[in-house]
Amino acid sequence: MRASRPNEVEDYFKVVGDFRLSEKEENKRESRMLLQGKDGRPDNYMMGLSNGVAGAKEDPKTTGWTSPRHRHTFEQIRYVVSGDYVIRKDEVLPTGWVAYFPESVYYGPQVKSANLYTLGLQFGGPTGIGYWSAAQRKKATQDLLAKGGEFKDGMYVWTGKDGKVHQQDASEAVEEQANGKPVAYPPQRYSDLVIMNPASFSWIKDRDAAGIAHKRLGRFTERDVRVSFIRMEKGATLNFGQEKSPEALFLKEGKVAHDNKTYGAHTAFGTDAEEAPINITAVEPSEFVYMKLPTF
């Protein structure tokens, strides 16, 4: 089991750089890499807590970051901790809402304001293509820049041997460079994003664990991806890590204990399929966001 807090882990954009921006632009966001999976596995993943950088938050209406309409070969689950997240034109994902981004489904243009906090889990989708780690993306980004191209307005732009200017979605270009071949998007299982309002769901008491209740938002694809909330009364114990796939918890609020250590809000916990389950006990009333990654 791994446990991490935002101030204990690296910022993804300081490690990789922000390929949605040009080299001359100032980075306006950060994403603390709370949990990471294992390279080369179809269930590789990264969980990050993202927000605008200091200074940009002085005016909450300031646009902190944008991206063009695009799609991915991997999947995502995003939970809005605070602020309003524009996921595409004229559509906002409000505070407290959750969205599931299936592989190959388009979304955007995005607008992430400077006062926005989001929890994001990116992971290999059901097709088994996998997910490129921060180290792999950093190398691919550097290799693309070394070729003489540049990142601008969410795109990778370069001049070809024919003298013409070409452009490609930045994330797609990075993935192609890392993979050494053109991106092949799998057929869509879903026609759109799945948007969930947790306030419309009911809490269901756990029949096998006293003091625990679940708010189950969704289960997706043949790989059984899941997202839910878990509420714990003071003194309740959660047996975490029972699935044959990676699992992740994000402590929304409260305080919990494991192995004689206590953890506060915004701590993340992760287990792998090969690990034995562990017990987490609520020191005070607590609530988690729970995500189960695909089973391969």
Side-chain angles (χ1 to χ4, degrees):
M1 192 277 292
R2 299 175 307 286
S4 63
R5 303 173 178 89
N7 63 348
E8 298 171 341
V9 294
E10 293 182 292
D11 174 15
Y12 174 87
F13 298 109
K14 286 187 177 180
V15 174
V16 178
D18 194 339
F19 48 69
R20 290 294 182 193
L21 303 175
S22 72
E23 292 182 275
K24 297 179 181 179
E25 290 180 289
E26 182 182 357
N27 186 30
K28 300 175 182 178
R29 57 176 178 155
E30 65 179 12
S31 182
R32 296 291 174 176
M33 296 186 288
L34 294 172
L35 298 171
Q36 298 182 68
K38 297 180 179 178
D39 288 0
R41 288 175 42 154
D43 60 6
N44 191 24
Y45 71 95
M46 182 187 73
M47 174 184 277
L49 183 63
S50 303
N51 62 278
V53 298
K57 300 175 191 174
E58 294 175 1
D59 180 4
K61 297 181 181 179
T62 299
T63 297
W65 178 84
T66 61
S67 75
R69 182 171 170 80
H70 63 285
R71 57 179 176 163
H72 299 290
T73 59
F74 56 85
E75 299 201 323
Q76 304 176 77
I77 296 172
R78 297 186 184 178
Y79 164 69
V80 182
V81 178
S82 63
D84 291 323
Y85 167 28
V86 179
I87 56 175
R88 54 193 167 198
K89 186 177 181 181
D90 301 324
E91 183 170 0
V92 171
L93 193 68
T95 297
W97 286 44
V98 177
Y100 166 61
F101 296 67
E103 62 182 11
S104 299
V105 172
Y106 279 99
Y107 66 101
Q110 297 179 97
V111 179
K112 296 185 177 181
S113 58
N115 67 335
L116 176 67
Y117 272 80
T118 55
L119 176 72
L121 180 71
Q122 298 182 324
F123 54 95
T127 305
I129 294 174
Y131 176 77
W132 298 103
S133 68
Q136 291 169 317
R137 288 171 184 268
K138 177 180 180 179
K139 183 179 185 307
T141 299
Q142 293 174 336
D143 289 345
L144 287 172
L145 291 172
K147 289 182 176 181
E150 66 172 332
F151 293 100
K152 184 177 182 180
D153 298 326
M155 308 295 286
Y156 176 64
V157 183
W158 75 98
T159 302
K161 294 180 180 180
D162 56 5
K164 296 181 180 180
V165 176
H166 304 266
Q167 63 178 17
Q168 182 181 15
D169 176 78
S171 180
E172 183 180 84
V174 168
E175 182 173 341
E176 284 193 1
Q177 179 64 33
N179 200 28
K181 61 182 180 181
V183 171
Y185 292 96
Q188 292 182 198
R189 286 167 171 78
Y190 299 86
S191 62
D192 204 349
L193 308 181
V194 180
I195 309 298
M196 294 161 272
N197 177 12
S200 298
F201 290 73
S202 299
W203 288 104
I204 305 298
K205 290 184 178 180
D206 193 312
R207 295 181 179 180
D208 301 315
I212 293 179
H214 303 268
K215 186 177 281 192
R216 299 181 175 93
L217 305 186
R219 300 177 72 162
F220 307 102
T221 80
E222 68 275 29
R223 302 296 182 184
D224 194 24
V225 172
R226 303 179 206 167
V227 57
S228 64
F229 290 156
I230 300 174
R231 188 171 64 188
M232 304 176 65
E233 298 176 5
K234 181 179 179 179
T237 296
L238 175 69
N239 191 235
F240 172 57
Q242 300 182 57
E243 301 293 336
K244 298 301 181 183
S245 62
E247 297 175 77
L249 288 170
F250 175 77
L251 186 57
K252 280 182 57 186
E253 55 191 50
K255 183 180 294 184
V256 299
H258 166 68
D259 196 22
N260 296 318
K261 295 181 180 179
T262 58
Y263 302 90
H266 292 187
T267 301
F269 302 86
T271 62
D272 289 328
E274 301 82 5
E275 293 181 294
I278 58 101
N279 287 330
I280 297 174
T281 301
V283 176
E284 61 187 43
S286 301
E287 188 175 326
F288 284 105
V289 181
Y290 167 79
M291 302 177 191
K292 175 196 169 295
L293 281 84
T295 302
F296 287 94

